[in-house]
Amino acid sequence: MARNAGVSHADWAQLYLQPLMDPVYGYQAVNVEAQLRTPSSFLRWVHRFIALRKEHPVFGLGTYEPLRSDNSHIFAHMRRWEDDVILCVHNVARSAQAVQLDLSACEGMVPEEMLGRTSFPAVGELPYLLTLAPRGFFWFQLRRPEP
Amino acid sequence: MPEQWFERDPLWFKRAVFYEIHIRGFFDGNGDGSGDFRGLIEKLDYLEWLATPASRTPTGRSSTCSR
């Protein structure tokens, strides 16, 4: 590990801002080198999210349409821009939650989770059921099913 | 007055990703204990990496909802 967490070669006492030293968040535990090695790290997460945002201008330019939800802990909305249709579902509670969303306008479309690119069951006539982990969220791209 | 680039693309900020840097705490380029612009320049590769999508195979096309 480089001196002063790699931020400066100066003596510790000279530093404008000294790096954290506590055992949990101190630089020996939380640093760029370690986070780059760890696929689940916050830095790698931010990197993936910047990429996702750049890949989908809908997050900046798209229309915004809140969705009615039967669970007040769930915040759900759609974004649309050109051919991109995105469904965002967020659990703002600190407990796991289930929600049923009326996606009948998108019947037949297949939600694909945008970080792992996993396809979820196609939208049918019935309300769409999702379960979310505490503080969990899903961002789906809605796609036409493969022919 | 020549036309500015942002006049042609006034919504540029809606596609942009912003990264706020506290210069004095970011990276010390001259070893005096304070971050500086030289330090920022030395870390441009890192910032470029952060803003560059990781390689990902394109996954087909999307399409609009019928409404």
Side-chain angles (χ1 to χ4, degrees), chain A residues 1 12 19-31 34-35:
Chain A
M1 169 68 59
W12 179 265
L20 293 183
M21 290 285 273
D22 80 80
V24 179
Y25 296 108
Y27 71 85
Q28 270 126 341
V30 180
N31 58 72
Q35 297 227 341

Side-chain angles (χ1 to χ4, degrees), chain B residues 13-60:
Chain B
F13 58 91
K14 291 201 173 199
R15 301 164 184 268
V17 174
F18 291 84
Y19 187 128
E20 182 177 355
I21 288 171
H22 182 49
I23 295 289
R24 291 184 73 187
F26 189 67
F27 188 67
D28 177 7
N30 64 3
D32 70 351
S34 282
D36 44 45
F37 280 98
R38 190 198 295 177
L40 173 60
I41 289 166
E42 284 182 37
K43 290 295 172 186
L44 286 180
D45 284 350
Y46 165 76
L47 293 173
E48 191 186 8
W49 167 80
L50 191 61
T52 307
S55 57
R56 170 192 275 175
T57 43
T59 49

Side-chain angles (χ1 to χ4, degrees), chain A residues 6-8 10 15-16 36 43 47 51 54-55 60-61 80 82-83 105-106 109 114 141-144 146, chain B residues 14-16 22 24 26-28 31 33-34 46 49-53 56 59-67:
Chain A
V7 165
S8 171
L15 296 178
Y16 160 70
L36 282 177
L43 179 59
H47 188 211
K54 289 190 149 189
E55 200 180 332
L61 295 165
R80 287 167 212 264
E82 295 189 346
D83 285 347
C106 300
M109 304 278 281
M114 297 182 81
Q141 185 174 31
L142 298 187
R143 294 171 173 278
R144 290 250 166 261
E146 302 291 333
Chain B
K14 291 201 173 199
R15 301 164 184 268
H22 182 49
R24 291 184 73 187
F26 189 67
F27 188 67
D28 177 7
S34 282
Y46 165 76
W49 167 80
L50 191 61
T52 307
R56 170 192 275 175
T59 49
R61 73 258 116 61
S62 71
S63 54
T64 14
C65 272
S66 54
R67 299 214 72 197

